[in-house]
Amino acid sequence: MDTTRIAEAIVRRFARRTNLMIASRTVRVDASPAHRAVAERLTTLLHDLGAVVTTGPASDAGMLRFDFTALAADADPTDVPVLLGGAPLPERPDAAARIAFAAAHMPVSAVLADQIDLTGLRIGVCMVLEPKTAQLALLLRSRGADVAVYGHPDETDAAVAAALASMGIPVDGGADLSGLEERSAAEGFLRRGLDILIDDGSHLIRLAHETDPVIAESWIGANEETTSGLTPLRRMDAARLLRTPVMAVNDAAAKTRFDNRYGTGFSCVLAIADLLEDHSLTVRDQPALVIGYGPVGEGVAAYLRALGATVAVAEVDPVRALTARHDGYAVGPASELANGALVVSATGVAGTIDAAIAGRAAAIAVAGGVPGEVTAEAAASAALVLGDGGAVNITAAEGNPIEIMDLSFAVQLAALDHLLRTRPGVGVHALPPEIDERVGLAALAARGVRIDESAATAGTDEDWRSARYEGTRG
């Protein structure tokens, strides 16, 4: 019996059914004599994926329980009953049910939304359009905003878009557009007369500047969700081309430390595992190369290793490369490490996987991603392209887990509140530390976690002398 394969299959089935996270969740595995080996391997895997494994009573409302004692001795162990908060996993039969399920598992965003008043504001949302984004739009509307949503063709769940439209929130764009029609839809969305734009990849912020800078000038400001989106906006700001205030949501610790590493890492690796299985392959049967060791690359590498892959890293930044080496990965040029490997780009840079790398790889995929991260020539020469060369957790799965996007969208809401209260000038603006504290405390409370209060004092301007020599002064 391949207990590793079975344990992985159990975890992947849970993730597919729920789009929920393993990391930070309290988990209990109840073994039975007939399935003890699988239960023990599952416990180890859950621990490696970041679960808080317990043998205590099922008192946590969010506890995940795998109950092998309820499974017949001759049953398939992958059919182990899974309980969430003491109840069987709920069904999510349609888009409306998936949106409602997401809402039930996004308490931090709900708390942050309750703290702001958006009455009369026109807010546009351009993010990967799936159930969590739909819930963000509904939260914004619940606080008084007039909300419209735009979905890029390769980032739109058509069923979710239709469900959101049926709830009274207009949705522009869509999965069936391309070329000039896609651009026309995006420009039409920008001309809705928005006060604020919440963007992902800064595609619409940049299109507004390209189409008619007056559009961007009319905004109170914009929020940007991603590293790949902030990079060009900072170039625009340096060149004095930016015409609107932009809040650098991506750079908040409560966003990047969780969304990029845990969310994108987990969801992309599990999507890759599902796609490899369709080709009778597994993650642990081959070497893996992660290109880029920022927060996304760190997460992808860690989750690939948890599933048994032998992971190497290619990185152009010397400090990040050194970090990967200290994390226990082989480090070197991509051209040397790609041979026969599962190659995952985690750079957010167009052209990362070229034909030379793709031709050596056993399979290629993109985590996170920007358009063209896999070149057309690379896609044509690769033995196996996973997720059509796009962000694999979007093209082949349901995006980042719900609890992770709950944190990211809580930061979005706090940043929106900060933007409205401070009305900063044109430029790319860092979020103040108190936003991370607000989101972190709300998230800990939602998880039932208490922490110590800091006893440190800030000191005074005169309090600069070293305490080491305090007793020697006259």
Side-chain angles (χ1 to χ4, degrees):
M1 178 186 297
D2 189 342
T3 58
T4 297
R5 181 191 64 79
I6 295 170
E8 179 189 315
I10 292 169
V11 170
R12 285 164 43 210
R13 185 186 68 168
F14 165 74
R16 284 195 304 271
R17 284 196 58 183
T18 65
N19 194 218
L20 292 176
M21 195 70 187
I22 293 295
S24 87
R25 186 175 296 282
T26 303
V27 172
R28 193 175 95 182
V29 180
D30 293 332
S32 65
H35 300 292
R36 185 168 302 279
V38 172
E40 290 176 350
R41 182 66 189 95
L42 176 62
T43 300
T44 299
L45 178 57
L46 291 167
H47 173 271
D48 291 347
L49 293 172
V52 181
V53 180
T54 183
T55 56
S59 57
D60 184 343
M63 175 183 283
L64 186 62
R65 181 184 175 199
F66 297 86
D67 188 9
F68 288 95
T69 65
L71 195 64
D74 59 349
D76 183 344
T78 60
D79 291 332
V80 58
V82 182
L83 305 176
L84 181 62
L89 297 180
E91 297 297 327
R92 301 190 302 154
D94 54 28
R98 287 189 287 140
I99 294 171
F101 184 81
H105 293 274
M106 294 175 64
V108 187
S109 293
V111 167
L112 270 293
D114 281 344
Q115 298 174 0
I116 58 178
D117 181 4
L118 303 175
T119 302
L121 290 172
R122 298 163 296 179
I123 300 178
V125 177
C126 178
M127 309 188 81
V128 177
L129 184 47
E130 37 75 45
K132 287 91 69 181
T133 303
Q135 173 59 11
L136 173 64
L138 292 169
L139 283 173
L140 293 169
R141 185 175 69 176
S142 74
R143 303 306 300 157
D146 180 5
V147 183
V149 174
Y150 181 83
H152 297 297
D154 56 338
E155 297 180 351
T156 296
D157 182 323
V160 170
L164 194 58
S166 72
M167 297 175 190
I169 293 183
V171 179
D172 295 332
D176 57 344
L177 298 179
S178 63
L180 291 176
E181 286 185 330
E182 177 186 350
R183 180 176 180 129
S184 177
E187 290 180 348
F189 175 79
L190 290 170
R191 295 187 186 282
R192 280 184 171 273
L194 303 174
D195 296 309
I196 297 169
L197 176 63
I198 299 176
D199 206 356
D200 183 321
S202 72
H203 300 296
L204 289 197
I205 296 174
R206 286 180 280 166
L207 181 62
H209 285 76
E210 179 185 342
T211 301
D212 184 357
V214 173
I215 296 174
E217 290 174 353
S218 71
W219 298 336
I220 295 171
N223 286 358
E224 173 49 42
E225 173 83 355
T226 65
T227 304
S228 59
L230 286 173
T231 298
L233 293 178
R234 288 193 167 107
R235 290 199 298 264
M236 292 171 65
D237 193 16
R240 299 184 181 278
L241 297 174
L242 191 65
R243 303 291 186 89
T244 190
V246 176
M247 306 309 299
V249 170
N250 173 80
D251 294 352
K255 190 275 182 186
T256 298
R257 289 186 183 180
F258 302 96
D259 187 308
N260 298 27
R261 188 188 191 283
Y262 297 101
T264 305
F266 179 77
S267 58
C268 285
V269 169
L270 264 64
I272 287 169
D274 286 342
L275 293 169
L276 287 176
E277 187 176 60
D278 293 340
H279 296 273
S280 301
L281 300 171
T282 67
V283 167
R284 63 190 170 100
D285 284 342
Q286 62 211 321
L289 169 63
V290 178
I291 305 179
Y293 204 66
V296 170
E298 289 180 359
V300 170
Y303 285 114
L304 284 172
R305 183 156 63 183
L307 293 191
T310 301
V311 182
V313 171
E315 173 59 75
V316 297
D317 182 290
V319 174
R320 288 180 175 178
L322 190 61
T323 302
R325 181 73 178 187
H326 279 70
D327 285 340
Y329 302 112
V331 175
S335 59
E336 297 177 7
L337 297 172
N339 291 336
L342 162 65
V343 176
V344 184
S345 176
T347 65
V349 176
T352 294
I353 298 182
D354 59 19
I357 292 174
R360 296 183 177 95
I364 60 175
V366 172
V370 296
E373 199 157 331
V374 174
T375 67
E377 294 77 13
S381 62
L384 178 59
V385 181
L386 302 177
D388 298 323
V392 70
N393 63 337
I394 297 170
T395 59
E398 204 172 345
N400 282 357
I402 295 170
E403 304 98 324
I404 293 296
M405 295 312 299
D406 183 28
L407 294 177
S408 292
F409 289 163
V411 175
Q412 285 281 4
L413 290 160
L416 182 59
D417 181 38
H418 182 74
L419 173 68
L420 291 170
R421 285 189 293 102
T422 62
R423 304 292 177 113
V426 170
V428 178
H429 301 276
L431 301 186
E434 53 263 30
I435 284 182
D436 282 323
E437 183 174 357
R438 285 174 63 189
V439 174
L441 288 172
L444 289 170
R447 289 154 175 75
V449 177
R450 296 181 297 112
I451 61 174
D452 291 326
E453 294 185 10
S454 174
T457 58
T460 66
D461 291 342
E462 290 76 28
D463 189 20
W464 54 267
R465 298 177 180 87
S466 170
R468 177 181 292 276
Y469 308 108
E470 187 171 347
T472 66
R473 298 187 184 104

